[in-house]
């Protein structure tokens, strides 16, 4: 079934997040705000037994339940295969004003939003539900998902921190469930950290408890969720080459440093500083330029004391003019903003966000990793002869 099918399709809102209690509170709020809405949920906790349990429910309880077999030993793959057919059945049944897809703990919303869109449905909004008091602990948690029974496949090597960061930064709406039972009270620093990590997200307080029983439930979450979501733009905002990164900020004990420079890093000095740079902030991300690898845009992604560095394709300056027509307009626009007459779009653009950030010390450390004036003046041929300290890390 597609957008031209004979049955009217309900708009789809995706609700995800590792904070399960907050996620359930957000879903309950949507059920209260939009009478008649239906929630689809795939529980991946049973994946070790070879199946994924699917439930369909509304505000009154479970309407249907079933199982989907694993696909390629991957619970997330089973979810992808099963989700769109369930949405089709829901659309064919008619009468549903809103379909809420509640993701299991470690499932990331980006992949599911793209699956829903490819299936011909409209993603009206993506919500990540958050307990503000747990943001810093989760960003600092470098444990593998598998250690907590949260892996979505036997080969899943993600950590709690990097998964939570991606869930948080992709969503257009953050549903804030403060003062959940068993959770500490969130303070100004917790809320400021959220605001700086994802400044463009709409943050909607939802409280806790039983929203369905509230006599005057505020529809603010539903309004925010149904405001519209551009899956293609959201993907571009996460791509290292044109990522929509946070701006400079400093408030309530939390700071964001935006570090932008026009000369390459010395590979050995940067490599030696990686541990200190990774641990300098709760979250850091961006793109960088390494001397000796002038054609390759490198992606920096750190959370939980762990750093992922990988190639994100070529700098546009390294491509022939004819190839530019094949590059998406948003990518060309991002390159134009960074364009330098000599180096093109090659640059350092790294962003560090954390409570208690030592901005001066961090800037000094970053500056020390750049080529010196003499090394810079030596030119590209000399840069290419520098020791390839990153080759092992990049699996070159």
């Amino acid at each position: 079934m597609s957008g031209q099918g004979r049955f009217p399709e309900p708009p789809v809102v995706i609700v995800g997040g590792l904070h399960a209690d907050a996620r359930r509170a957000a879903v309950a709020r949507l059920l209260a705000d939009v009478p008649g809405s239906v929630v689809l949920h795939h529980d991946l906790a049973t994946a070790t037994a070879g199946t994924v349990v699917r439930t369909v429910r509304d505000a009154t309880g479970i309407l249907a339940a079933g199982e989907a077999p694993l696909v390629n030993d991957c619970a997330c793959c089973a979810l992808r295969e099963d989700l769109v057919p369930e949405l089709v059945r829901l659309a064919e049944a008619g009468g549903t004003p809103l379909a809420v897809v509640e993701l299991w703990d470690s499932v990331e919303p980006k992949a599911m939003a793209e699956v829903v869109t490819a299936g011909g449905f409209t993603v009206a909004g993506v919500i990540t539900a958050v307990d503000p008091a747990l943001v810093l602990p989760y960003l600092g948690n470098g444990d593998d998902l598998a250690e907590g029974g949260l892996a979505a496949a036997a080969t899943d090597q993600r950590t709690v921190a990097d998964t939570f960061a991606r869930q948080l930064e992709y969503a257009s709406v953050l549903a804030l469930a403060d003062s959940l039972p068993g959770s500490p009270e969130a303070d100004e620093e917790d809320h400021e950290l959220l605001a700086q990590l994802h400044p463009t997200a709409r943050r909607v307080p939802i409280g806790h408890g039983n929203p369905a029983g509230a006599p005057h439930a505020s529809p603010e979450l539903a309004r925010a969720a149904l405001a519209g979501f551009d899956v293609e733009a959201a993907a571009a905002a996460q791509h290292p080459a044109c990522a929509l990164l946070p701006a400079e900020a400093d408030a309530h004990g939390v700071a964001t440093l935006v570090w932008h420079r026009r000369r390459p890093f010395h590979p050995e000095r940067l490599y030696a500083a990686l541990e200190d740079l990774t641990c300098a902030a709760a979250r850091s991300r961006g793109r960088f330029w390494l001397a000796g690898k002038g054609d390759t845009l490198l992606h920096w992604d750190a959370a939980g004391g762990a750093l992922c560095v990988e190639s994100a394709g070529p700098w546009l300056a390294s491509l022939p003019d004819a190839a530019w027509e094949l590059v998406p307009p948003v990518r060309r626009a991002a390159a134009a903003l960074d364009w330098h007459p000599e180096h093109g779009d090659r640059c350092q653009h790294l962003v560090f966000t954390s409570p208690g950030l030592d901005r001066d010390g961090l800037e000094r450390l970053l500056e020390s990793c750049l080529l010196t004036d003499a090394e810079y003046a030596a030119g590209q041929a000399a840069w290419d002869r520098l020791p390839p300290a990153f080759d092992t890390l990049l699996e070159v």
Side-chain angles (χ1 to χ4, degrees):
M1 180 168 155
S2 68
Q4 286 72 45
R6 57 178 284 224
F7 297 101
E9 298 164 357
V12 177
V13 170
I14 295 172
V15 182
L18 277 165
H19 298 170
D21 289 342
R23 190 182 68 240
R24 286 189 280 267
V27 170
R29 172 61 70 193
L30 288 172
L31 288 175
D33 288 353
V34 187
S37 56
V38 173
V39 179
L40 288 81
H41 177 61
H42 290 77
D43 190 334
L44 275 55
T46 57
T48 53
T51 59
V52 172
V53 175
R54 175 206 326 115
T55 56
V56 181
R57 71 184 193 277
D58 63 10
T60 66
I62 292 179
L63 303 174
E67 292 185 348
L70 288 193
V71 176
N72 301 323
D73 291 324
C74 170
C76 269
C77 301
L79 193 166
R80 291 188 187 96
E81 293 288 323
D82 195 64
L83 178 58
V84 170
E86 285 301 311
L87 288 171
V88 169
R89 278 189 279 274
L90 196 62
E92 290 175 344
T96 302
L98 173 65
V100 179
V101 175
E102 181 192 352
L103 302 179
W104 188 69
D105 299 34
S106 69
V107 177
E108 296 182 25
K110 180 178 182 291
M112 291 306 111
E114 291 169 355
V115 165
V116 170
T117 301
F121 289 83
T122 299
V123 177
V126 175
I127 298 171
T128 293
V130 178
D131 180 343
L134 298 181
V135 172
L136 186 57
Y138 272 61
L139 275 182
N141 188 341
D143 292 346
D144 291 338
L145 290 173
E147 294 177 31
L150 297 172
T155 56
D156 194 341
Q157 296 182 326
R158 294 174 298 156
T159 68
V160 171
D162 62 40
T163 302
F164 176 67
R166 282 191 293 271
Q167 289 177 338
L168 183 72
E169 292 156 9
Y170 181 79
S172 57
V173 179
L174 301 180
L176 310 184
D178 276 306
S179 306
L180 289 165
S183 177
E185 193 79 24
D187 57 20
E188 284 185 333
E189 182 179 283
D190 296 320
H191 284 277
E192 181 63 27
L193 179 57
L194 265 179
Q196 291 189 29
L197 286 169
H198 194 354
T200 62
R202 183 168 176 180
R203 298 183 297 281
V204 180
I206 59 171
H208 65 284
N210 180 20
H216 301 292
S218 166
E220 185 181 359
L221 184 63
R223 283 200 303 266
L226 292 167
F229 189 83
D230 187 328
V231 172
E232 187 175 329
Q238 297 299 304
H239 191 281
C242 44
L244 189 62
L245 297 172
E248 285 271 345
D250 193 347
H252 302 298
V254 181
T256 294
L257 169 68
V258 178
W259 192 75
H260 199 277
R261 295 294 185 272
R262 294 289 189 180
R263 66 171 63 183
F265 279 124
H266 187 288
E268 277 190 320
R269 289 200 295 274
L270 179 61
Y271 192 82
L274 286 182
E275 184 175 353
D276 289 339
L277 290 171
T278 300
C279 296
R283 177 77 173 125
S284 56
R285 47 194 151 141
R287 54 188 177 271
F288 68 101
W289 172 25
L290 197 65
K293 295 197 179 297
D295 292 344
T296 306
L297 187 156
L298 294 169
H299 180 207
W300 177 288
D301 189 75
L307 170 67
C308 175
V309 170
E310 59 187 359
S311 167
W315 295 104
L316 290 199
S318 69
L319 297 177
D321 291 347
W324 279 54
E325 294 302 316
L326 304 176
V327 176
V330 66
R331 174 76 172 90
R332 296 200 299 269
L337 289 174
D338 277 336
W339 201 260
H340 181 276
E342 184 179 355
H343 305 306
D345 57 331
R346 299 179 184 93
C347 68
Q348 319 295 356
H349 189 174
L350 299 175
V351 176
F352 298 79
T353 299
S354 189
L357 188 72
D358 178 7
R359 300 169 65 100
D360 293 341
L362 180 54
E363 284 196 273
R364 285 194 298 271
L365 182 57
L366 288 164
E367 297 286 350
S368 73
C369 297
L370 292 173
L371 295 185
T372 64
D373 289 346
E375 289 165 342
Y376 181 73
Q380 184 67 54
W383 304 350
D384 290 341
R385 292 194 296 271
L386 292 172
F390 273 73
D391 281 6
T392 301
L393 189 62
L394 294 170
E395 300 178 349
V396 174

